[in-house]
Structure formats: structure tokens, C-alpha cells
């Protein structure tokens, strides 16, 4: 044990800590984790330079060519540590029923006892970095302060990109302010003289949330959502419980703005299950004819939205993050030029391939180069027959480098929301776009959204994996109670957003997509905007309001016929009856906490279909 320690508390911190409770907690955790030293992080550029130099030295980072990628780095993780680990993610509420049947639950005391053992001495030979962070614009009424204690310098530099950090957070915290304690260790202590690996981690991983005491303990992983604790752990799992208790909403949603040719700005949020192109939609560039006509799109956030009834009477939204942790494969100048600009400098790439020019490459970026070093560090050629970049490889890039970042993205009061969009990857059944009749029906659409799994993933064709509001892995409490909270919010929002359901992925019998997607999705957004402002009529159908051909702009969409529109918009009674049965199976899982209003919506849909 370090000479500085007594048995209960690290005796003196090497920096002035302005917050009494924080100082006590750091000293207590230092005694458990036994780091060699403790360093307070300020998120400054000097700190970034020092830490990235150190990470290059330890071979965790490779400095990329400064002309191709200024101030940017490549990290290669351990092959066992490449994604969030849902089966090792726990919600430790006092009562199991408060975590609900869709979360992994353990009793908080039992879990803490187990984890204390894991964390005991876990930082030996390493530095404990103290990272004060703030999720949300620092003066926002919703902003949450957290402090992550981590033994991973990769986490520190990533947190600088992903959230507000440093002295300004300490100022907000003050002497007695509350913070969310987040303890993180890669779980790989170093014995004296033992050399370190480039990506230390532990085979056993625990991503643990204590929603009642608002704490996060994460052990064993250095990757993404497992380790950058401000993101999924605080801004979704812990924030969702705080939001429930305080009358707001923490959602897994993008936030974007659309300016129509008359200069009216409309903001919307959207929640999709993974692999539905959320980042691409958030950063959409309108096609040239739309740009010429005066349509502009802006980005507020690509992953998480915090919403509350604002002064305007509408729901207001902030993005609690300051960066993107985006999926690299598939991102290109064609598919997402805004993302390409955002990642052009000051970016950390993880698990992409390295080019012979010390640049980066991933599948879908461009034609494959003749030689690369793949994400595992091995030589790669197009004949290798394996991926050069990991399928979950990422770029961590500052959001303010995105060319169409919204001027209001850091407004502490957020942006006023007119529409909420749900959707999924549905080759059958679901039409391109329809609008909910009202808030309760909209909540039902969100609660039943999902994506059809491929045969390879599920073993069967056509199974829909439900992912209500895209929150299944991210809700810090019982999903049925979460639906009840959504329903309850209606009473507190004077000017309710309209709710829509989209499906870019409908296919015909031959397996061809019925809608061109990508940039052309702006046409669907145009219909949404016009509906929000009551500028066009909708067509009332058993599933909701749908667009008439005359009110849906296909001008300039070469060869897209009325018949194709009808095919993309078709809904069939027999498909919906099967859909209702499948939805029922999911609702049954949540039966004990399912709000009756949603069961009633089910009955109503069935009656309308009959
Ligand atoms: O695998 C990870 O750690 C990243 S998962 C992720 C990253 C950015 C945005 N969203 C997600 C997600 O799983 O929803
Ligand atoms: Mn996400």
C-alpha cells in the first residue's frame, strides 16, 4: 500500500478539491483501488497533448499522419473488448421489480460487496484520473455533474471529446453540490516491474448502475459505452431514473432541426433501434434540389436527448453530449459528408484499419487499398477474406466540428420540439410513414417499435426484435413504469409534439427496397414538418394518418411512380394481425407493470383492423 494511505482513506489528495463529499469519496476509493498516484484532469489542450504523448509511448495510440488527420489517433482494443456488454450490464435497485424483467438485476448490497473485491487493488501500478464532467450545457436546468475515477488515460482523452470537463465543472459543483460518482477500472493491476499491455482489460466485466443512489461502477472494460461513463450509463440509465423522479425524459434519440424555404425552423427527435441509420439521419444533407429550394438541416445531437416541458409550452431538448462516438464502417463522403468533416481532425479512431500513409480506412469508406494493417494489427489485403476494420469500429469526434451543427446546440434552454419520430428496420408490414392519432397512440407506436432480425441473428426469418423507444438496453428502471412515465408526461406538456412512425427499409417480394432512403428521407421529413404546422391534410386510416400522393413531394425523384409510392405506403390487414400477435408476446413479458392505456391501444388497433 502507498505510504500516503491509512486503512480507510487516502490521507491527502495532491490537489485542492472544492467539494467536501467528493474529496471524501475520492480518498475512500483510492484506498480500495490502491493507485500509485492520483491526478485531477482539467480537459485542457495541454493535458490532451501530455496524455496522447503518453498513450503513443505505451502503444495504446498510434499518431496518424498530421496532414491527413491533424491531432488524431488510432487505438486498437483487445479483441475481447470491442463493444458494450449487455449481458454484463446490471441495474441494482433495491427491489427486483424496479429493474423489471428486461434488465439484469442484483441486490445493490450484494453487488457492492462483490465489486469491492474486484476493485480491491485494481489500480495498483496505475494512475487514478479524476475526471469531473458535466452532461448537458453547463448552465442548463437539466445539466448533471458526474465525476469519473478511472485508471484509463484513453478514457480521459475520450471524455474530453464527449462531455464538458474540468474546472468549469468544479465551479458548477461548488462546495456542496451533488455529483454522480462513477468508478471505473480496466481491472488490470500492474505488479512492480510488470510491463503493461496496449489495451489492458479484464475477462470479467461488470457495468453496474445503482439507480437509487445514482452511482455507476464499471469494471473490466476500457471500451466505449462500458467505460466512457457519461454516455450510456449516466446520460441514459441513471438519467432516465432521475428524469422519472423529476418530470423530464432521458431518451435515446437524435435531435435535428429543419428549416423550410419560408424560414420556419422545426426541431424533431427520433429514436430508432441500432442499425437504422440514426447518425446518418441526424447529419442528413438534403439533395441539391432541396438545398436550392431553401431547405436546410441542422444537428443538435446524434444519440441522446433530454427533454422537459420548456417555457414555450413545448417539450425542449438538449443533447447532453459534446461529441460523437460514431460507427465508422459505412461512413463515407457519399453517405455522410457531415460526419466526414466532423472526424477530419482532433479525433480518436478505435479499431479501424491503418493505411500505409498512416491514415485510416474502414469498409464502405472507399475502394479497398491494396495493403492495410487491420484492426488486430495484422497485414491485410483485399484477398485476406476478413474485415479490415471491426464492424463496431468507432470515431470519437467533437460535435462542433460537424459543419451543420445547430447554432442553438449549446443553448441551456434547449430547442423546442415539434415532432417525435419512431421507426425500425421492417422489410414487411410497416409503411414508409404514418402519424399517430394522438400522444397515447404515439406512445404505443414507440412501445411497439422494433427491427426485423436477419435469419442469421435469430435463426428464423421475420422475427421482430422489439426495442421500445430504442431504450431496452438503456432504461434504468422497469420498462412498464417507463411507458407510464411517457403517458404521464402528456399532462405536463402544453403544446404536445406530433408523433410519427417511419420505415426506410420496406422491401418488395423480390427483396428490393421500396424507398430510395438516405438523402431522399428529407421528403418524409418534409411531410412531417408540414403536418406539424397543419399545412397539409392527412389521410385517416386504421393505423394512423398517412400522406396522400398529392401531398407527398416526389418531384425530382427520378422514376418514382405513384404505384411505387402506394407499395411503400401499403399496409395489409393480415400483416397487422400477425404484428398484433407479436406485439402481444412482448407486452406479456411486461404484463405486471404494463399501463392499461397501452393494452387498450392494442385493443383499439385490433378493432380498427377488424
Ligand atoms: O459498443 C459501444 O460501446 C458503443 S454503442 C453506441 C455508441 C454510440 C451511440 N450509440 C451506441 C448504442 O449502442 O446505442
Ligand atoms: Mn446509441
Amino acid at each position: 500500500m502507498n505510504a500516503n494511505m491509512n486503512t480507510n482513506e487516502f490521507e491527502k489528495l495532491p490537489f485542492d478539491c472544492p467539494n467536501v463529499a467528493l474529496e471524501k469519496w475520492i480518498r475512500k476509493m483510492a484506498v480500495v483501488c490502491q493507485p500509485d498516484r492520483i491526478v485531477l484532469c482539467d480537459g485542457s489542450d495541454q493535458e490532451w497533448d501530455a496524455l496522447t504523448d503518453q498513450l503513443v509511448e505505451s502503444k495504446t495510440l498510434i499518431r496518424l499522419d498530421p496532414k491527413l488527420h491533424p491531432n488524431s489517433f488510432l487505438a486498437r482494443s483487445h479483441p475481447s473488448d470491442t463493444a458494450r456488454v449487455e449481458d454484463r450490464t446490471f441495474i441494482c435497485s433495491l427491489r427486483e421489480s424496479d429493474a423489471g424483467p428486461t434488465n439484469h438485476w442484483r441486490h445493490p448490497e450484494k453487488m457492492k460487496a462483490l465489486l469491492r473485491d474486484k476493485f480491491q487493488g485494481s489500480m495498483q501500478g496505475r494512475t487514478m484520473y479524476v475526471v469531473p464532467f458535466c452532461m448537458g450545457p453547463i448552465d442548463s436546468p437539466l445539466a448533471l455533474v458526474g465525476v469519473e475515477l478511472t485508471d484509463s488515460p484513453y478514457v480521459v482523452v475520450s471524455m474530453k471529446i464527449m462531455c464538458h470537463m474540468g474546472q468549469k465543472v468544479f465551479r458548477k459543483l461548488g462546495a456542496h453540490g451533488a455529483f454522480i460518482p462513477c468508478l471505473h477500472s480496466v481491472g488490470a493491476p500492474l505488479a512492480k516491474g510488470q510491463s503493461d499491455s496496449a489495451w489492458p482489460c479484464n475477462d470479467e466485466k461488470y457495468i453496474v448502475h445503482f439507480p437509487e443512489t445514482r452511482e455507476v461502477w464499471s469494471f473490466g472494460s476500457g471500451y466505449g459505452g462500458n467505460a466512457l461513463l457519461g454516455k450510456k450509463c449516466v446520460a441514459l440509465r441513471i438519467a432516465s431514473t432521475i428524469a422519472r423522479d423529476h418530470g423530464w425524459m432521458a431518451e435515446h434519440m437524435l435531435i435535428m432541426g429543419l428549416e423550410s424555404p419560408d424560414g420556419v425552423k422545426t426541431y424533431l427527435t427520433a429514436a430508432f433501434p441500432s442499425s437504422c441509420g440514426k447518425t446518418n439521419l441526424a447529419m442528413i444533407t438534403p439533395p441539391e434540389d432541396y438545398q436550392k429550394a431553401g431547405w436546410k438541416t441542422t444537428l443538435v445531437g446524434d444519440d441522446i436527448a433530454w427533454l422537459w416541458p420548456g417555457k414555450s409550452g413545448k417539450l425542449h431538448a438538449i443533447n447532453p453530449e459534446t461529441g460523437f462516438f460514431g460507427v465508422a464502417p459505412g461512413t463515407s463522403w457519399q453517405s455522410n459528408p457531415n460526419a466526414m468533416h466532423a472526424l477530419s481532425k482532433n479525433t480518436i479512431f478505435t479499431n479501424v484499419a491503418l493505411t500505409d500513409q498512416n491514415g485510416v480506412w474502414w469498409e464502405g469508406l472507399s475502394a479497398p487499398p491494396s495493403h492495410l494493417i487491420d484492426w488486430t494489427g495484422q497485414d491485410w489485403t483485399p484477398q485476406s477474406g476478413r474485415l479490415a476494420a471491426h464492424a463496431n469500429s468507432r470515431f470519437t469526434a467533437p460535435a462542433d466540428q460537424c459543419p451543420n451543427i445547430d447554432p442553438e446546440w449549446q443553448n441551456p434552454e434547449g430547442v423546442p420540439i415539434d415532432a417525435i419520430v419512431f421507426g425500425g428496420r421492417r422489410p414487411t408490414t410497416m409503411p414508409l410513414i404514418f402519424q399517430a392519432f394522438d400522444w397515447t397512440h404515439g406512445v404505443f407506436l414507440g412501445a411497439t417499435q422494433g427491427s426485423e432480425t436477419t435469419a442469421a441473428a435469430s435463426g428464423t426469418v421475420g422475427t421482430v426484435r422489439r426495442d421500445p423507444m430504442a431504450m431496452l438496453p438503456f432504461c434504468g428502471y422497469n420498462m412498464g413504469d417507463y411507458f407510464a412515465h411517457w403517458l404521464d408526461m402528456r399532462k405536463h406538456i402544453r403544446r404536445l409534439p406530433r408523433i410519427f412512425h417511419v420505415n426506410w427499409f420496406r422491401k418488395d417480394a423480390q427483396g428490393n427496397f421500396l424507398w430510395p432512403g438516405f438523402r431522399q428521407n428529407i421528403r418524409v421529413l418534409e411531410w412531417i414538418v408540414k403536418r406539424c404546422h397543419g399545412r397539409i391534410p392527412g389521410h385517416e386510416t386504421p393505423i394512423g394518418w398517412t400522406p396522400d400522393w398529392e401531398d407527398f413531394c416526389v418531384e425530382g425523384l427520378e422514376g418514382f411512380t405513384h404505384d411505387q409510392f402506394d407499395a411503400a405506403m401499403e399496409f395489409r390487414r393480415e400483416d397487422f394481425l400477425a404484428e398484433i400477435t407479436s406485439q402481444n408476446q412482448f407486452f406479456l413479458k411486461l404484463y405486471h407493470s404494463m399501463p392499461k392505456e397501452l393494452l387498450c391501444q392494442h385493443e383499439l388497433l385490433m378493432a380498427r383492423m377488424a
Side-chain angles (χ1 to χ4, degrees):
M1 189 182 283
N2 193 305
N4 195 5
M5 296 172 186
N6 67 25
T7 45
N8 295 316
E9 277 181 7
F10 201 88
E11 272 177 7
K12 183 158 168 38
L13 296 182
F15 54 86
D16 286 333
C17 183
N19 185 285
V20 187
L22 176 60
E23 171 157 9
K24 202 170 164 56
W25 176 64
I26 299 171
R27 288 167 62 184
K28 213 167 141 184
M29 291 305 110
V31 169
V32 175
C33 301
Q34 299 169 20
D36 278 11
R37 64 200 80 79
I38 303 180
V39 168
L40 174 66
C41 300
D42 61 8
S44 64
D45 292 343
Q46 293 89 313
E47 179 180 276
W48 165 280
D49 290 342
L51 285 176
T52 51
D53 281 352
Q54 176 191 320
L55 283 158
V56 169
E57 177 80 8
S58 66
K59 301 205 165 19
T60 304
L61 293 184
I62 294 167
R63 187 181 295 279
L64 297 171
D65 180 273
K67 285 209 184 74
L68 294 173
H69 302 282
N71 195 28
S72 297
F73 301 86
L74 166 64
R76 296 192 192 114
S77 79
H78 190 275
S80 68
D81 197 20
T82 58
R84 286 189 300 104
V85 282
E86 277 176 30
D87 56 336
R88 304 300 304 159
T89 298
F90 300 88
I91 300 295
C92 299
S93 43
L94 283 166
R95 284 186 305 210
E96 185 171 2
S97 59
D98 286 338
T102 58
N103 281 314
H104 301 292
W105 176 84
R106 295 282 188 284
H107 192 281
E109 271 167 28
K110 285 202 181 128
M111 181 55 101
K112 278 201 173 162
L114 186 153
L115 285 182
R116 260 188 222 108
D117 262 9
K118 302 279 166 208
F119 277 101
Q120 189 68 41
S122 66
M123 296 188 186
Q124 274 173 10
R126 300 192 181 278
T127 301
M128 174 191 271
Y129 298 95
V130 179
V131 182
F133 64 92
C134 178
M135 303 312 290
I138 219 128
D139 296 322
S140 173
L142 259 53
L144 288 178
V145 170
V147 179
E148 179 162 348
L149 305 183
T150 178
D151 54 6
S152 162
Y154 166 88
V155 165
V156 180
V157 290
S158 302
M159 289 288 279
K160 171 180 163 63
I161 297 174
M162 295 304 292
C163 40
H164 301 277
M165 223 179 110
Q167 280 304 328
K168 58 187 172 191
V169 181
F170 262 0
R171 275 197 294 280
K172 182 178 172 73
L173 186 58
H176 303 288
F179 62 94
I180 300 170
C182 301
L183 179 62
H184 171 250
S185 172
V186 294
L190 287 169
K192 255 208 164 59
Q194 185 187 341
S195 60
D196 204 355
S197 63
W199 189 277
C201 61
N202 194 301
D203 285 345
E204 225 182 331
K205 299 180 183 9
Y206 289 88
I207 320 299
V208 182
H209 308 75
F210 302 95
E212 281 118 356
T213 50
R214 324 283 201 218
E215 290 169 89
V216 182
W217 293 27
S218 166
F219 179 88
S221 168
Y223 191 88
N226 301 331
L228 313 180
L229 300 185
K231 192 174 178 59
K232 302 297 187 181
C233 299
V234 168
L236 285 175
R237 298 194 190 94
I238 295 294
S240 63
T241 63
I242 298 175
R244 172 202 58 191
D245 296 346
H246 294 277
W248 52 280
M249 305 161 87
E251 301 299 330
H252 190 200
M253 289 176 170
L254 66 86
I255 312 167
M256 64 183 294
L258 278 121
E259 193 180 314
S260 44
D262 54 8
V264 173
K265 187 83 170 269
T266 306
Y267 288 99
L268 59 84
T269 64
F272 304 133
S274 47
S275 311
C276 288
K278 198 165 116 191
T279 303
N280 284 351
L281 182 67
M283 297 182 186
I284 191 171
T285 307
E288 264 88 59
D289 51 340
Y290 265 73
Q291 290 183 38
K292 274 201 195 112
W295 284 90
K296 293 192 189 98
T297 54
T298 57
L299 169 93
V300 178
D302 75 325
D303 195 38
I304 300 178
W306 287 354
L307 301 128
W308 76 105
K311 288 188 187 125
S312 69
K314 295 182 181 182
L315 266 184
H316 282 222
I318 53 168
N319 169 11
E321 302 186 281
T322 58
F324 308 124
F325 188 57
V327 183
T331 306
S332 71
W333 287 105
Q334 273 76 44
S335 70
N336 194 339
N338 283 321
M340 293 303 289
H341 280 291
L343 59 76
S344 63
K345 55 186 176 183
N346 308 319
T347 293
I348 298 173
F349 298 90
T350 305
N351 289 342
V352 301
L354 183 69
T355 69
D356 294 349
Q357 295 72 38
N358 247 18
V360 286
W361 190 86
W362 49 80
E363 280 72 16
L365 176 66
S366 59
S370 56
H371 175 260
L372 294 165
I373 304 293
D374 73 8
W375 74 275
T376 65
Q378 297 176 68
D379 285 305
W380 182 97
T381 68
Q383 289 72 45
S384 296
R386 57 177 199 275
L387 293 176
H390 190 280
N392 193 36
S393 54
R394 298 274 167 174
F395 55 86
T396 311
D400 61 5
Q401 292 182 183
C402 189
N404 73 336
I405 194 81
D406 194 279
E408 298 299 317
W409 85 290
Q410 282 299 305
N411 186 337
E413 295 302 325
V415 295
I417 299 299
D418 283 307
I420 295 175
V421 183
F422 295 119
R425 184 177 277 270
R426 301 296 303 267
T428 67
T429 312
M430 290 294 174
L432 176 62
I433 169 77
F434 61 102
Q435 181 186 349
F437 294 120
D438 55 26
W439 179 264
T440 309
H441 182 221
V443 174
F444 173 73
L445 296 183
T448 52
Q449 81 171 19
S451 280
E452 214 170 279
T453 54
T454 60
S458 69
T460 48
V461 180
T463 305
V464 178
R465 181 176 292 152
R466 302 286 157 194
D467 188 0
M469 285 84 170
M471 280 291 279
L472 206 61
F474 304 118
C475 187
Y477 60 103
N478 187 316
M479 215 61 204
D481 296 341
Y482 168 79
F483 296 150
H485 180 55
W486 262 82
L487 292 167
D488 184 64
M489 284 303 295
R490 187 177 64 87
K491 299 179 207 143
H492 309 286
I493 310 165
R494 205 156 29 84
R495 298 164 68 192
L496 285 164
R498 306 294 189 258
I499 301 183
F500 299 83
H501 189 284
V502 299
N503 176 22
W504 320 129
F505 303 99
R506 186 83 176 265
K507 288 182 174 173
D508 65 15
Q510 286 70 47
N512 306 307
F513 285 111
L514 287 165
W515 174 247
F518 297 100
R519 287 174 165 208
Q520 301 304 339
N521 292 338
I522 192 84
R523 297 168 190 279
V524 175
L525 299 182
E526 178 184 0
W527 188 77
I528 289 174
V529 166
K530 288 182 173 164
R531 285 293 294 161
C532 286
H533 299 296
R535 291 197 204 133
I536 42 169
H539 186 93
E540 190 175 350
T541 75
I543 62 166
W545 299 96
T546 61
D548 283 321
W549 165 251
E550 305 76 54
D551 295 319
F552 188 87
C553 180
V554 293
E555 212 180 296
L557 195 55
E558 292 287 293
F560 191 78
T561 63
H562 196 153
D563 281 352
Q564 282 171 297
F565 174 78
D566 286 347
M569 282 304 305
E570 187 190 17
F571 61 90
R572 299 188 319 168
R573 189 172 167 273
E574 55 274 31
D575 289 347
F576 263 81
L577 292 180
E579 171 73 13
I580 287 168
T581 308
S582 146
Q583 290 174 358
N584 239 340
Q585 283 163 359
F586 179 70
F587 277 13
L588 273 177
K589 208 170 162 183
L590 296 167
Y591 183 79
H592 293 291
S593 54
M594 200 67 189
K596 299 291 169 284
E597 291 96 316
L598 293 192
L599 302 178
C600 179
Q601 282 294 322
H602 221 204
E603 299 287 321
L604 288 171
L605 174 62
M606 213 142 45
R608 291 195 301 267
M609 278 296 159

